[in-house]
Amino acid sequence: MAAEMPATASPTLAGALFVPVRLAMGVVDAPLRALQKATGLTGMASFFLLPNMAIFSIFVLLPLVINFVYSMTGGTAIFLDGRSFVGGEQYQRLLTCASYLDPNSCVEDKFWIAVRNTGVFVVVQVPLLLVVALTTALVLNRDMRGRSFWRAVFFFPVLLSPVVTGLIWRWILQRQGLLNLLLFETAGADPHTWLTDRFWAFVAAVGVSIWAHVGFYALILLAGLQAIPRDIYEAAEMDGTRPARVFWRITLPLLMPNLLVVLVLALIRSVQVFDEVYVLTGGGPGTSTLYMIQYIFETGFASQLRNPGLAAAASILMGVVLVVLTLMQLAASRSSEKRGKR
Amino acid sequence: MATVSAFLLRRRGGAGWHWTDVVTWVWLIGGVILMFGPAVWLTLSSFKTPAALAEFPPSLLPYVTQQVMVEGHDKPLPLFTVTLPDGSTKALAEVRRIGLVAQMIDPADPKTIVKVDIAKRAPLQKIAFAASNYTEPFIHFDFLRYLWNSVFVTTMATLITLVVNSMAAFALSKYQFRGQSMIMMLILATLMVPLGVIMVPLYSIISALGLVNNLWGVILPTVATPTGVFLLRQYMLTIPDELIDAARMDKASEWQIYWRIVLPLAAPALAVLGIFSVVWRWNDFLWPLIALSRKELYTLQVGLNIYSGELNVQWHFILAMTVVTMIPVVLVFVFLQRFITAGIAGTGLK
């Protein structure tokens, strides 16, 4: 993996940028030399690890652990000592439904609306995203001039912040927006407020999230395509194999491990859909684009009836889904690595 | 021109046009329009006056109706092109409008009022960039504060990320010690822990540390990113251990080895992580939204979202602020895209 690091970075330029940092580092050398004398090489290893591990433990590991404790407490207090132990009550509240198919029959109806919305979003968005990303990767993999430019084109939205993405599309989809202008110019259609329509708001959420992320997945798939040995294609060409057959019999099977990695990555990200859609629709109209993260966010922080315990329980349920997906991803990347080594 | 079309129409193999060639070019050109178009449209819109923004159908470029000062009137009057009964056209200024009839005057002859059917006139427009959309938020809003907060958070978080992650990566790649593989496993296992899962307890931790409504509360939880440690470690593994042994023979301290040998050699990897850290931290939204509730501490992203959510949306300011928010990312894109796309394709980093 590291061997593929781009050689485009000029070490001298990057080095120059770090000059002040390196100067500052020179100052601490003497005390650290003393430390080294006292602790030896292994001691220095711990010293180098310490800052990162300390921050990591406080801000990642500790929250992971106390999330479980939180999910078993009740009340609106933020600190654990102000909260009462309620056992599995929060989970019970989340999971109590007369019928699991009807969110309105559940005690915590918003949770199930968010679950259902997220499920529908994932089922619709991920396959579309994969098809668009794969097509883009195939197109970018062709022999043509200006490849790095075309490659960058699709990557541009990936760099934009979700807030900017959401605002751009809100601006395009509003009444005086570009979409209405185009429909008016081409078909004389009356202006429509797309984001106040339940169906179109969902379509917009799916479309905008694909727009924002497709470049990332296309790039990973492109890397996979380029790892396929050229001579296989040359042999196919010699045999006069039709391009469609080449795609189904050579490209797709050989790309499968990468596709699998991308699929699971896309699933993991899609389950966590939040910011660009939140800025675009605010979860609305009504609850039609309310997704899991927004539910947890609002239950934990924003709503009048704040309930951090409930939010923590919901986040653990979501975490379970993500752990399963992550394990799938690890398995998928292992098999794709195996292919790379072969 | 011939070379351009020759370039654009180049085909694979040189034989006739295959349908895949057509798809390729439709996809590429459609891609350019779809990926850049929205941002360009937003930028063009950001130069429009509030009146032009409320128009339907909207114009592509920012136009304003021309105005003229006429003797006997306090305010400038809007100019219209009027089709006169004899078929000729003339530029007239509108005094007032009553129903379907507009009372208009010729700026050269302000005394005579001409009555014109409003269907017979069109506003006389010129392209004008409303720069005040950009200058006013600096004066009237906390925009400059937001900008500063974002710059501070991004710079600090990136510097700390680079230092702290590279130190950990150095330890994990160049030393043998007990628990090494366990720490590596721990870091790998949390690669996929999303903020969404830990945000409730994380908030209680930063409030216990007194970091709520403090920019450091936004910075610190983001700096020990497992992705960074992983990326740098993988890169440092390729640095030969013999170099380090040689330095030890020359009585270099471990710290010197780290900052004079390993860091410079890992510069390409540090650069990739640095660029990404800048983009990540500049774009962060959910965590600052949770950790900051005092207006003067908002980062650009939070400030923009809060403003755009207010009832009286002042879109002309929002659009201009959005464009400013986009600038650093566009600069990164323009100057470093080749580098970044290679980095992503190679490492799956994002």
Side-chain angles (χ1 to χ4, degrees), chain A residues 2 5 8 25 29 32-33 36 41 52 56 67 70 136 142 145 152 159 161 170-171 176 211 272 315, chain B residues 7 20-21 24 27 34 45 55 164-165 190 194 197 204 234-235 253-256 283 301 308 337:
Chain A
M5 286 311 303
T8 31
M25 287 178 168
D29 187 44
L32 286 178
R33 208 179 264 269
Q36 187 184 334
L41 283 189
N52 193 70
F56 181 74
N67 209 14
Y70 254 91
T136 308
R142 299 189 56 153
R145 231 181 294 176
L159 289 175
S161 81
R170 236 169 88 186
W171 182 244
Q176 288 93 3
W211 182 83
Q272 300 174 53
S315 75
Chain B
F7 162 65
T20 52
D21 297 314
T24 300
W27 199 268
L34 202 62
S45 301
E55 259 172 35
V164 164
N165 284 1
T190 50
V197 173
S204 75
Q234 294 302 99
Y235 195 88
S253 73
E254 296 304 303
W255 178 253
Q256 274 177 326
N283 289 347
Q301 313 290 347
S308 69
Q337 43 90 1

Side-chain angles (χ1 to χ4, degrees), chain B:
Chain B
M1 204 52 219
T3 51
V4 172
S5 60
F7 162 65
L8 285 177
L9 300 176
R10 238 164 45 99
R11 276 154 292 116
R12 239 170 24 147
W17 270 71
H18 191 259
W19 66 267
T20 52
D21 297 314
V22 180
V23 171
T24 300
W25 284 109
V26 168
W27 199 268
L28 289 179
I29 289 162
V32 172
I33 296 170
L34 202 62
M35 298 291 143
F36 290 151
V40 173
W41 169 250
L42 181 98
T43 311
L44 283 175
S45 301
S46 74
F47 288 102
K48 289 181 178 176
T49 58
L53 287 177
E55 259 172 35
F56 188 86
S59 56
L60 219 50
L61 291 170
Y63 287 105
V64 290
T65 303
Q66 287 193 29
Q67 295 184 318
V68 67
M69 281 302 291
V70 182
E71 221 178 299
H73 295 274
D74 303 336
K75 283 184 192 159
L77 301 174
L79 270 176
F80 287 84
T81 317
V82 178
T83 316
L84 295 171
D86 59 3
S88 64
T89 55
K90 200 171 183 185
L92 297 180
E94 182 182 88
V95 180
R96 65 178 70 84
R97 191 184 134 186
I98 303 159
L100 294 173
V101 179
Q103 296 185 348
M104 309 190 87
I105 50 172
D106 188 338
D109 174 21
K111 295 284 182 300
T112 331
I113 289 186
V114 189
K115 288 189 176 162
V116 180
D117 186 343
I118 58 162
K120 290 268 163 57
R121 45 156 230 188
L124 196 61
Q125 294 182 316
K126 63 170 182 195
I127 294 180
F129 293 94
S132 61
N133 291 352
Y134 284 86
T135 51
E136 271 184 48
F138 279 100
I139 303 161
H140 296 304
F141 300 97
D142 297 330
F143 186 58
L144 217 51
R145 268 236 80 89
Y146 300 164
L147 188 66
W148 164 250
N149 292 339
S150 269
V151 169
F152 180 78
V153 167
T154 306
T155 322
M156 281 306 172
T158 300
L159 283 179
I160 300 176
T161 299
L162 289 177
V163 172
V164 164
N165 284 1
S166 65
M167 280 171 71
F170 176 55
L172 287 169
S173 63
K174 293 296 165 213
Y175 293 95
Q176 310 286 306
F177 54 91
R178 235 175 348 146
Q180 189 175 21
S181 56
M182 203 200 79
I183 289 176
M184 210 49 220
M185 284 284 285
L186 206 63
I187 287 175
L188 278 179
T190 50
L191 260 176
M192 280 294 169
V193 173
L195 175 64
V197 173
I198 57 168
M199 61 187 173
V200 177
L202 185 56
Y203 181 80
S204 75
I205 285 172
I206 67 161
S207 59
L209 294 172
L211 291 176
V212 169
N213 276 323
N214 182 327
L215 290 178
W216 288 103
V218 176
I219 295 168
L220 288 176
T222 63
V223 294
T225 161
T227 323
V229 178
F230 185 66
L231 170 84
L232 292 176
R233 174 181 175 267
Q234 294 302 99
Y235 195 88
M236 286 177 186
L237 283 175
T238 64
I239 297 173
D241 289 340
E242 289 78 10
L243 261 177
I244 289 160
D245 292 336
R248 281 190 188 131
M249 302 267 240
D250 289 343
K251 296 267 188 288
S253 73
E254 296 304 303
W255 178 253
Q256 274 177 326
I257 291 172
Y258 160 72
W259 67 269
R260 294 182 73 160
I261 297 175
V262 173
L263 269 196
L265 284 175
L270 286 169
V272 171
L273 181 63
I275 293 163
F276 269 94
S277 174
V278 166
V279 174
W280 288 334
R281 301 292 80 93
W282 183 262
N283 289 347
D284 266 347
F285 173 59
L286 179 56
W287 183 242
L289 181 70
I290 292 171
L292 305 171
S293 61
R294 290 220 327 259
K295 252 188 163 166
E296 66 271 23
L297 290 167
Y298 285 166
T299 57
L300 265 181
Q301 313 290 347
V302 180
L304 257 185
N305 178 60
I306 301 283
Y307 265 144
S308 69
E310 276 172 4
L311 272 169
N312 263 329
V313 180
Q314 292 184 296
W315 270 107
H316 56 299
F317 291 145
I318 302 286
L319 294 175
M321 284 157 68
T322 310
V323 172
V324 175
T325 310
M326 238 175 5
I327 289 174
V329 167
V330 170
L331 288 181
V332 165
F333 175 78
V334 170
F335 292 110
L336 302 167
Q337 43 90 1
R338 228 159 40 100
F339 189 34
I340 289 183
T341 47
I344 291 225
T347 59
L349 181 79
K350 198 234 149 184

Side-chain angles (χ1 to χ4, degrees), chain A residues 154-327:
Chain A
F154 290 90
F155 190 68
F156 174 65
V158 178
L159 289 175
L160 291 181
S161 81
V163 177
V164 167
T165 303
L167 285 175
I168 286 181
W169 284 97
R170 236 169 88 186
W171 182 244
I172 286 175
L173 296 172
Q174 55 134 2
R175 203 178 163 282
Q176 288 93 3
L178 187 61
L179 182 63
N180 282 334
L181 171 67
L182 293 176
L183 291 175
F184 176 80
E185 295 286 337
T186 54
D190 285 334
H192 185 77
T193 44
W194 301 97
L195 294 175
T196 55
D197 181 315
R198 293 182 74 90
F199 174 72
W200 288 111
F202 169 74
V203 172
V206 171
V208 169
S209 71
I210 292 178
W211 182 83
H213 301 296
V214 70
F216 172 67
Y217 299 102
L219 267 189
I220 299 185
L221 288 178
L222 181 63
L225 283 175
Q226 292 182 341
I228 300 177
R230 285 215 94 96
D231 41 3
I232 301 184
Y233 287 112
E234 278 159 20
E237 207 172 318
M238 299 267 255
D239 294 344
T241 320
R242 285 183 306 114
R245 205 177 150 79
V246 170
F247 173 74
W248 290 109
R249 289 301 171 87
I250 299 177
T251 310
L252 210 55
L254 284 178
L255 193 63
M256 208 37 98
N258 298 67
L259 266 174
L260 220 59
V261 172
V262 167
L263 167 74
V264 186
L265 259 177
L267 279 173
I268 292 172
R269 297 269 192 86
S270 166
V271 170
Q272 300 174 53
V273 55
F274 172 68
D275 19 27
E276 64 256 9
V277 174
Y278 179 71
V279 176
L280 186 73
T281 67
T287 49
S288 53
T289 54
L290 173 77
Y291 299 117
M292 276 306 292
I293 297 279
Q294 191 182 340
Y295 169 79
I296 297 171
F297 166 63
E298 285 181 354
T299 311
F301 303 99
S303 76
Q304 299 291 317
L305 301 158
R306 182 164 69 181
N307 190 338
L310 195 64
S315 75
I316 284 175
L317 292 181
M318 195 180 88
V320 171
V321 175
L322 289 172
V323 165
V324 172
L325 289 173
T326 306
L327 291 177

